[in-house]
């Protein structure tokens, strides 16, 4: 049975590009409140929700946003790895080191241990097992924020995501995200990327079609210093190109192999030579992810040299364009 969604459901967008612009437009032009919380002056709308018809269309095409597509992939992999170390994620986003109260571990932002740890007995494992046995279940929910997280007002890192829920309806995996708060400019883009990536991976592990993704946020806000960027983003008109499909043979083994490469490249003990790329033992989709990580290795560990043209050539064209927007000085002169 497939009835149209009732009118009280959130609006459905074909791509996250469209949803992101709609959220920014609302927060900028129709804010409900001006708030001041932990030193941030913000414009805020309460109870913002939207749905995505195709959660693969997760990367907006907006030059002024300067999307860090490498961080987006690294964060999703960091979650899948069940890690909470600042060493891994701080390499891709140095600002995150400041959130680690003990200098090493992220207590709120690290959703990986809560979703995927301990391996074999994680909330994700239980959700997948439940849905395999009872596809119509409405219990497959993975809690993220813990009840005691904000008891200490000095805690710099309290999880913003409350829970993720999976539902199988008409043979498709629908994912629902619940957040207490979301930074509409910065956090929203990263969170939707990661959660839709996890949704796509989960649908493959369940052997079913990917359904919709719905994002519910109690406090959607934009901080005052980001407002000029919001105006610049809203002035853009470029549509977003179609996204690649995660290959059907993706398993935990694939993810572990990619994570092996991630670590070797991050600590600069390995490098990916262009002639090695066709020999990597996984689908071109994942080869392009490893090539993204090699691109970053070159940006960080070989800052005086441009990124090798042969590596850039392997990347998804949209990702290559995002890298050119973010790190123009690292692009070979002839490709700028
Ligand atoms: O004071 P508070 O803990 O809410 O500040 C955290 C800020 O990071 C908020 O602006 C929140 O919306 C943003 N954030 C986000 O958008 C944080 C995380 C980390 O859990 C996230 N998305 N995933």
């Amino acid at each position: 049975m497939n009835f149209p969604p009732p009118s009280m459901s959130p609006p459905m967008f074909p791509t996250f590009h469209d949803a992101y612009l709609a959220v920014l437009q609302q927060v900028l032009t129709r804010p409900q409140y001006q708030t001041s919380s932990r030193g941030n002056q913000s414009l805020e709308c309460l109870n913002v929700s939207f749905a995505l018809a195709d959660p693969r269309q997760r990367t907006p095409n907006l030059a002024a946003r300067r999307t860090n597509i490498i961080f987006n992939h690294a964060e999703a992999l960091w979650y899948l790895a069940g890690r909470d170390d600042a060493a891994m994620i701080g390499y891709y986003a140095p600002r995150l080191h400041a959130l680690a109260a003990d200098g090493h571990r992220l207590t709120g932002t690290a959703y990986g241990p809560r979703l995927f740890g301990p391996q074999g007995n994680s909330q994700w494992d239980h959700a997948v097992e439940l849905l395999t046995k009872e596809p119509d279940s409405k219990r497959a929910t993975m809690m993220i924020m813990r009840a005691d997280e904000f008891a200490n007002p000095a805690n710099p890192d309290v999880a913003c995501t409350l829970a993720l829920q999976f539902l199988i309806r008409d043979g498709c995996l629908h994912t629902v995200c619940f957040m207490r708060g979301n930074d509409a400019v910065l956090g929203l883009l990263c969170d939707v990327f990661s959660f839709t990536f996890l949704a796509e991976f989960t649908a493959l592990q369940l052997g079913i079609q990917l359904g919709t993704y719905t994002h519910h946020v109690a406090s959607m806000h934009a901080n005052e210093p980001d407002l000029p960027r919001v105006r610049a983003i809203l002035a853009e008109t470029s549509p977003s190109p179609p996204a690649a499909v995660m290959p059907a043979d993706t398993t935990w083994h694939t993810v572990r192999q990619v994570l092996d490469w991630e670590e070797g490249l991050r600590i600069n003990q390995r490098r990916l030579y262009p002639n090695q790329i066709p020999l990597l033992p996984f689908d071109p989709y994942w080869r392009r992810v490893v090539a993204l990580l090699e691109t970053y290795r070159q940006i960080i560990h070989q800052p005086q040299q441009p990124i090798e043209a042969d590596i850039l050539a392997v990347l998804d064209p949209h990702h290559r364009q995002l890298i050119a927007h973010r790190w123009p000085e690292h692009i070979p002169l002839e490709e700028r």
Side-chain angles (χ1 to χ4, degrees):
M1 232 180 299
N2 196 347
F3 299 109
S7 61
M8 288 174 77
S9 299
M12 176 81 72
F13 293 88
T15 71
F16 177 51
H17 178 100
D18 303 307
Y20 186 63
L21 290 175
V23 170
L24 291 179
Q25 181 78 33
Q26 178 172 329
V27 174
L28 183 73
T29 61
R30 283 171 289 140
Q32 286 176 284
Y33 300 98
Q34 271 187 296
T35 60
S36 174
S37 162
R38 297 200 312 121
N40 292 313
Q41 313 294 318
S42 313
L43 298 182
E44 182 189 60
C45 295
L46 297 189
N47 303 314
V48 171
S49 301
F50 59 83
L52 302 178
D54 181 358
R56 290 187 188 95
Q57 304 299 327
R58 59 177 68 96
T59 305
N61 184 26
L62 298 158
R65 174 57 178 77
R66 298 183 76 241
T67 300
N68 185 342
I69 191 64
I70 300 171
F71 171 78
N72 291 153
H73 283 83
E75 187 173 54
L77 289 167
W78 187 61
Y79 292 157
L80 284 164
R83 295 172 70 138
D84 63 359
D85 58 325
M88 176 175 167
I89 203 64
Y91 165 77
Y92 298 98
R95 69 188 158 79
L96 291 178
H97 283 288
L99 291 184
D102 69 355
H104 303 288
R105 314 232 150 256
L106 292 155
T107 56
T109 299
Y111 301 157
R114 301 183 197 183
L115 297 171
F116 297 106
Q119 212 186 331
N121 193 24
S122 67
Q123 293 198 77
W124 182 88
D125 289 314
H126 294 302
V128 167
E129 195 183 330
L130 172 63
L131 292 177
T132 306
K133 290 188 182 134
E134 203 207 324
D136 279 357
S137 179
K138 47 192 182 305
R139 291 184 176 177
T141 307
M142 299 164 289
M143 307 306 296
I144 295 182
M145 185 181 168
R146 284 191 308 255
D148 62 355
E149 273 189 71
F150 63 92
N152 171 8
N155 181 357
D157 185 25
V158 173
C160 291
T161 308
L162 307 177
L164 292 176
Q165 182 174 357
F166 293 135
L167 299 128
I168 300 179
R169 296 293 178 264
D170 281 348
C172 297
L173 182 72
H174 301 282
T175 305
V176 186
C177 169
F178 301 90
M179 299 189 74
R180 65 174 177 86
N182 209 187
D183 178 325
V185 190
L186 306 177
L188 172 62
L189 195 127
C190 303
D191 294 325
V192 168
F193 184 96
S194 288
F195 300 151
T196 56
F197 197 88
L198 301 183
E200 189 175 9
F201 173 76
T202 303
L204 291 177
Q205 303 322 296
L206 283 161
I208 61 177
Q209 295 296 312
L210 181 63
T212 57
Y213 171 83
T214 306
H215 196 76
H216 296 292
V217 179
S219 160
M220 185 69 88
H221 51 270
N223 294 332
E224 297 277 358
D226 295 323
L227 297 182
R229 185 161 21 163
V230 173
R231 289 188 192 97
I233 291 170
L234 290 173
E236 289 189 39
T237 51
S238 46
S240 72
V245 176
M246 198 180 283
D249 62 358
T250 300
T251 62
W252 278 107
H253 181 62
T254 322
V255 170
R256 278 192 286 273
Q257 285 177 306
V258 173
L259 282 166
D260 253 18
W261 270 99
E262 185 285 324
E263 175 146 338
L265 297 172
R266 170 165 41 88
I267 61 178
N268 202 24
Q269 271 190 351
R270 244 172 151 175
R271 56 166 301 176
L272 180 68
Y273 293 95
N275 61 0
Q276 270 181 303
I277 296 171
L279 307 175
L280 291 176
F282 28 75
D283 185 276
Y285 177 98
W286 290 105
R287 289 180 195 158
R288 286 193 287 270
V289 174
V290 176
L292 265 182
L293 301 172
E294 166 64 17
T295 303
Y296 195 63
R297 187 197 67 77
Q298 294 187 19
I299 291 171
I300 297 297
H301 296 290
Q302 300 169 190
Q304 308 308 334
Q305 299 165 30
I307 303 164
E308 287 168 24
D310 288 353
I311 292 290
L312 283 174
V314 174
L315 301 179
D316 177 298
H318 184 205
H319 296 171
R320 191 162 56 233
Q321 192 190 356
L322 294 172
I323 287 170
H325 282 141
R326 188 160 181 115
W327 292 282
E329 68 283 9
H330 290 270
I331 301 297
L333 274 179
E334 61 279 13
E335 306 220 359
R336 276 183 211 169

